[in-house]
Amino acid sequence: GTIGVWFAELAQYMRDATQSASKVKYRHDIAHDGSISRVLAFLQVNKMVWPGLGAEIVFEVYRQVEGNGHGVRVLWSGDVMTSSSPDLGRIDMIELDKLLEYIDSLVGRDAEKALTFCQG
């Protein structure tokens, strides 16, 4: 709930970037260690540690060579992130739709579940 709106925005950025008319090549967000720890928790990082100074999480979206699909890789401090979630596992060129479904299942499309969370 505390990072849900940010994840909904991230999901929308990734959806927008995969559209054929998109010119987006790079997007950069900056966060404090408290925010990064929430991202790690949301993705259920396999080995949770408090993010140190200069920690980074990188979401890379790639167009597949064959077909219209997209793959995504998540790097945590330069290494491929492994999630303890059976839905994600090792987040190394998994189908983008799989990550988007995971995000939407927790926060709803366009963060529609965030309002309910805040009211509860």
Side-chain angles (χ1 to χ4, degrees), residues 29-80:
D29 290 321
I30 297 173
H32 194 267
D33 56 353
S35 298
I36 289 177
S37 66
R38 287 181 179 94
V39 171
L40 294 172
F42 186 95
L43 293 173
Q44 300 179 50
V45 66
N46 198 37
K47 183 180 177 186
M48 185 63 174
V49 295
W50 191 258
L53 183 64
E56 63 181 14
I57 301 171
V58 178
F59 294 81
E60 299 175 332
V61 179
Y62 294 91
R63 183 177 57 244
Q64 293 177 345
V65 175
E66 296 180 14
N68 294 327
H70 291 82
V72 63
R73 175 170 59 185
V74 178
L75 302 174
W76 160 230
S77 290
D79 295 321
V80 173

